[in-house]
Amino acid sequence: KRKGRNLVHCYTDDDQDSGELQLSLQWSHQLQEAIVNDQITLHFQPIVKVSNGEVAYFEALVRLQLEDRLVYPGEFIPALERAEDINLLDHQVISKAIAMMHQYPELHKVAINLSAQAFSDARLLPLIKQKLEQYQVDATRIIFELTESASLSNIQATRLMIESLTQLGCEFSIDDFGTGFSTFSYLKQLPAHSIKIDGSFVREMDVDQIDYALVKSIAEIARVLNRKSVAEFVENERILDLLKELGVDYAQGYHISKPMDIENLKKYILETTT
Ligand code: C2E
Ligand code: MG
Ligand code: MG
Ligand code: MG
């Protein structure tokens, strides 16, 4: 039916399309259940200032807490995107994150990931406004992360959305930078506060000269464009030192801290601030 009417499609055992469709439908169903059963949870990972190690903000990362296991987004986000149900997840994450920012003032500033489809979702902006109002959360406490490819697929809609949210006071960050196809003119146009250097360049920059040079170049581009730079996948002290030398502004990764549930995050904050 998805392929149009009056079509006959022969399914074979190894029909990949039907397998993927099946999986997407399963995850869509799972998402509905998770919403009803309140199984959507957010973990938070600190992002620190490279210059002094202070926590600057936290990235919210979604997980599904099923009866028997915790499911990571790599498993269900691609399926939800195919099923065109990803907007529903975005709505849930935004509502949850803002409610938690109200409940836990420790979450002084939070980065929320948006899917590629978020920028053509007319319900998103009203929802954000409504939640900020309902929970009395200041818009300046929120950073939205969007991937390079997301922002590229519909630059006009993306710009409009970013402009509206920026007017409210929210910040923007371009996620996984370096994996898409942005041009400089395009990058110049987007009013993003920061650029997140993709982890694939950072993770081995201490041993791979090309990765090192790429991180250095992206940090330089960010500086030229007057944007902050953020490095993800900081997995050891040596990388943190290199980032400091290169003047990268913020760092995130397992070496600093893994993502945590709110209870562990509260402990982490107590330990790091006293
Ligand atoms: P991302 O936004 O680039 O998030 C960073 C991912 O890298 C997270 O995986 C995080 O746990 C992981 N990570 C952090 N530090 C390290 C490190 O030092 N080494 C390694 N190897 N990995 C590290 P996670 O939570 O599995 O999320 C994967 C992706 O799923 C995210 O990539 C983001 O694109 C998407 N995602 C996560 N939460 C949401 C959400 O609420 N909404 C939407 N639309 N997408 C989300
Ligand atoms: Mg992100
Ligand atoms: Mg990222
Ligand atoms: Mg990434």
Side-chain angles (χ1 to χ4, degrees), residues 180-214:
F181 302 94
S182 340
T183 61
F184 291 137
S185 73
Y186 154 82
L187 202 57
K188 200 177 125 185
Q189 281 179 57
L190 278 186
H193 281 76
S194 61
I195 292 177
K196 263 184 127 169
I197 307 166
D198 190 66
S200 62
F201 306 120
V202 177
R203 189 165 37 191
E204 292 174 354
M205 66 178 283
D206 53 335
V207 289
D208 185 320
Q209 287 185 22
I210 292 180
D211 284 341
Y212 174 84
L214 286 171

Side-chain angles (χ1 to χ4, degrees), residues 154-168:
N154 191 347
I155 186 157
Q156 208 44 36
T158 306
R159 273 193 54 175
L160 279 175
M161 179 86 87
I162 293 185
E163 273 158 21
S164 313
L165 288 169
T166 304
Q167 234 152 44
L168 285 183

Side-chain angles (χ1 to χ4, degrees), residues 96-109:
K96 188 129 216 157
I98 296 177
M100 289 180 83
M101 291 173 79
H102 167 78
Q103 192 182 353
Y104 306 101
E106 298 93 325
L107 295 170
H108 64 287
K109 193 154 186 174

Side-chain angles (χ1 to χ4, degrees), residues 26-272:
Q26 269 168 28
W27 278 115
S28 291
H29 178 72
Q30 190 70 255
L31 176 65
Q32 308 282 353
E33 293 242 297
I35 292 171
V36 174
N37 300 331
D38 196 22
Q39 291 169 317
I40 296 176
T41 60
L42 295 179
H43 284 190
F44 297 91
Q45 188 177 29
I47 290 160
V48 300
K49 237 178 133 172
V50 172
S51 59
N52 60 11
E54 269 176 27
V55 174
Y57 59 98
F58 303 97
E59 180 173 10
L61 296 158
V62 72
R63 279 95 181 82
L64 293 189
Q65 180 64 67
L66 304 185
E67 281 80 20
D68 52 335
R69 66 188 183 113
L70 191 65
V71 190
Y72 289 78
E75 203 174 326
F76 56 85
I77 284 184
L80 291 178
E81 277 175 349
R82 278 194 303 272
E84 293 168 22
D85 256 347
I86 191 75
N87 289 337
L88 189 56
L89 181 75
D90 283 333
H91 294 182
Q92 291 294 317
V93 168
I94 288 167
S95 305
K96 188 129 216 157
I98 296 177
M100 289 180 83
M101 291 173 79
H102 167 78
Q103 192 182 353
Y104 306 101
E106 298 93 325
L107 295 170
H108 64 287
K109 193 154 186 174
V110 171
I112 301 174
N113 291 282
L114 292 179
S115 69
Q117 284 94 322
F119 293 86
S120 35
D121 176 8
R123 291 163 306 169
L124 198 75
L125 191 60
L127 176 82
I128 295 167
K129 283 186 186 165
Q130 189 236 314
K131 291 295 164 187
L132 291 174
E133 174 83 9
Q134 180 184 349
Y135 290 105
Q136 288 297 296
V137 168
D138 203 296
T140 56
R141 289 171 63 194
I142 299 185
I143 302 169
F144 286 108
E145 295 193 0
L146 64 145
T147 61
E148 209 185 341
S149 45
S151 42
L152 255 166
S153 61
N154 191 347
I155 186 157
Q156 208 44 36
T158 306
R159 273 193 54 175
L160 279 175
M161 179 86 87
I162 293 185
E163 273 158 21
S164 313
L165 288 169
T166 304
Q167 234 152 44
L168 285 183
C170 301
E171 284 179 25
F172 272 88
S173 183
I174 301 178
D175 208 350
D176 302 335
F177 185 80
T179 58
F181 302 94
S182 340
T183 61
F184 291 137
S185 73
Y186 154 82
L187 202 57
K188 200 177 125 185
Q189 281 179 57
L190 278 186
H193 281 76
S194 61
I195 292 177
K196 263 184 127 169
I197 307 166
D198 190 66
S200 62
F201 306 120
V202 177
R203 189 165 37 191
E204 292 174 354
M205 66 178 283
D206 53 335
V207 289
D208 185 320
Q209 287 185 22
I210 292 180
D211 284 341
Y212 174 84
L214 286 171
V215 171
K216 187 178 177 189
S217 307
I218 299 173
E220 192 56 40
I221 290 168
R223 233 184 327 270
V224 168
L225 291 169
N226 206 12
R227 311 280 197 266
K228 300 287 185 199
S229 51
V230 188
E232 55 173 20
F233 292 17
V234 176
E235 294 183 358
N236 63 51
E237 187 69 25
R238 174 79 186 128
I239 293 178
L240 199 53
D241 288 340
L242 292 174
L243 293 173
K244 197 181 273 184
E245 280 172 31
L246 295 179
V248 170
D249 299 291
Y250 299 102
Q252 171 184 21
Y254 295 162
H255 176 64
I256 297 151
S257 166
K258 290 206 164 181
M260 296 163 275
D261 61 27
I262 188 70
E263 292 310 320
N264 284 309
L265 182 76
K266 287 202 282 190
K267 282 185 213 149
Y268 172 90
I269 293 172
L270 276 178
E271 282 161 16
T272 51

